[in-house]
Amino acid sequence: MEKNKNLIIRLTPKSSQDRILRGIPWVYDNELVLDRITKTIPLGSIAILQSAERKQVGLVTFNPISKIPVRILDLNLEAKISLSWITDKISRAITMRDRLYEQPYYRLVHAEVMNFPVSSLTGLGILSLSNRTRFGQK
């Protein structure tokens, strides 16, 4: 998947990029300029998110029919979103969770918390429950 430098999505003047820079991985429709040009961006496209001042914020995926049309992929504008990018994010998530939990009974990747620099895979959920049933109970 390659970003298209011509696909730009802009925050409204009342919206702040601070939330995004602190790790919140999504942007609601009321925070975006959704004009006729933006609405023509194809579903699932990788685009560049800009602040209202036209400062580039990061790489995003776009879903024009959602109340949360923008999901942050990477704040590094030079990132190449590819299979190796995804593999790296999952590997980092595994390493972080192995440090935090003694037993492998945890959610490995989850959409709401995965935009930290360690893993940043918004919109993806993977469970690791080993040989146990739900929540580690036999």
Side-chain angles (χ1 to χ4, degrees):
M1 288 190 250
E2 194 64 33
K3 69 181 177 267
N4 184 333
K5 294 182 180 186
N6 297 322
L7 298 181
I8 303 291
I9 301 168
R10 192 167 299 112
L11 294 169
T12 63
K14 292 183 180 181
S15 299
S16 172
Q17 67 185 20
D18 294 342
R19 244 177 11 96
I20 296 162
L21 299 176
R22 286 194 316 264
I24 303 299
W26 51 79
V27 182
Y28 293 96
D29 58 355
N30 64 346
E31 299 175 286
L32 299 169
V33 175
L34 293 175
D35 56 14
R36 62 181 172 79
I37 295 171
T38 305
K39 288 182 179 180
T40 64
I41 296 174
L43 177 72
S45 293
I46 296 176
I48 296 173
L49 180 67
Q50 289 184 344
S51 67
E53 297 79 27
R54 298 178 190 261
K55 177 185 173 196
Q56 295 183 339
V57 178
L59 298 179
V60 301
T61 57
F62 184 63
N63 178 353
I65 58 176
S66 174
K67 290 289 184 185
I68 306 174
V70 165
R71 304 279 180 154
I72 310 300
L73 291 174
D74 208 307
L75 297 178
N76 175 5
L77 294 165
E78 301 304 316
K80 303 282 187 236
I81 309 304
S82 64
L83 180 58
S84 64
W85 181 88
I86 294 169
T87 303
D88 179 61
K89 300 298 181 179
I90 292 173
S91 295
R92 289 180 185 201
I94 291 169
T95 300
M96 179 176 69
R97 273 124 185 106
D98 285 345
R99 285 194 321 254
L100 297 174
Y101 300 100
E102 289 182 27
Q103 300 295 321
Y105 313 123
Y106 49 79
R107 187 174 287 191
L108 177 62
V109 179
H110 189 262
E112 278 73 23
V113 295
M114 284 297 98
N115 199 42
F116 297 108
V118 181
S119 49
S120 70
L121 284 171
T122 61
L124 175 66
I126 300 174
L127 294 179
S128 175
L129 298 177
S130 187
N131 62 352
R132 301 204 175 238
T133 60
R134 188 177 167 129
F135 304 113
Q137 300 171 355
K138 289 187 176 186

